[in-house]
Amino acid sequence: MSNPITSWIKSHMELYNEREEKFEDRVASMSINSVKLKDSRNKSHRSSGFYKDEPRTRSFDHFFVAHSTLKSIPGGISSSHQAMEFYNDLGAKKRERMIAKFKDQE
């Protein structure tokens, strides 16, 4: 009869071939990761045409000419209090429609 503790230890031991395969996999993954790191550090950090992008957080968005279809409504008056109220009311109406729509779905 064999010793149960020795057999338990042997059953939980790592085999030499398994250990070598894990080592090879680890070396291969480290090689791949090192190439990825080298490639990422050698890339240009600026895309082509980077100087064309707007660096400010808010670009030029205050246009003064209203579209001809908006001429007769309060929303057509550019940069005005009436236009702000008009679009706020439109947004509130759209919100109410969406709430009603989703309440019906539940």
Side-chain angles (χ1 to χ4, degrees):
M1 293 232 271
S2 66
N3 186 349
I5 295 176
T6 306
S7 64
W8 178 78
I9 291 172
K10 282 186 178 181
S11 68
H12 286 84
M13 283 179 64
E14 193 175 36
L15 298 176
Y16 177 78
N17 291 337
E18 291 175 0
R19 190 174 70 226
E20 286 295 314
E21 287 173 6
K22 287 180 184 178
F23 176 71
E24 288 174 7
D25 291 341
R26 198 166 57 242
V27 169
S29 67
M30 290 299 290
S31 174
I32 291 168
N33 288 337
S34 67
V35 170
K36 283 182 182 178
L37 181 65
K38 181 180 179 246
D39 289 346
S40 69
R41 289 191 176 168
N42 289 338
K43 282 184 184 175
S44 174
H45 64 282
R46 292 185 171 178
S47 59
S48 67
F50 70 93
Y51 51 87
K52 295 179 183 176
D53 293 335
E54 179 62 53
R56 295 175 287 195
T57 56
R58 183 175 162 206
S59 62
F60 184 78
D61 63 352
H62 45 280
F63 302 103
F64 302 110
V65 178
H67 194 268
S68 61
T69 58
L70 301 174
K71 244 180 187 174
S72 62
I73 60 173
I77 306 167
S78 292
S79 302
S80 67
H81 180 70
Q82 291 92 356
M84 181 194 70
E85 284 182 343
F86 175 76
Y87 289 112
N88 280 345
D89 291 340
L90 282 180
K93 288 176 188 173
K94 182 176 180 180
R95 179 180 176 272
E96 294 302 322
R97 282 195 312 267
M98 289 173 69
I99 289 173
K101 177 183 171 185
F102 289 119
K103 277 186 181 178
D104 292 342
Q105 288 180 0
E106 290 176 357

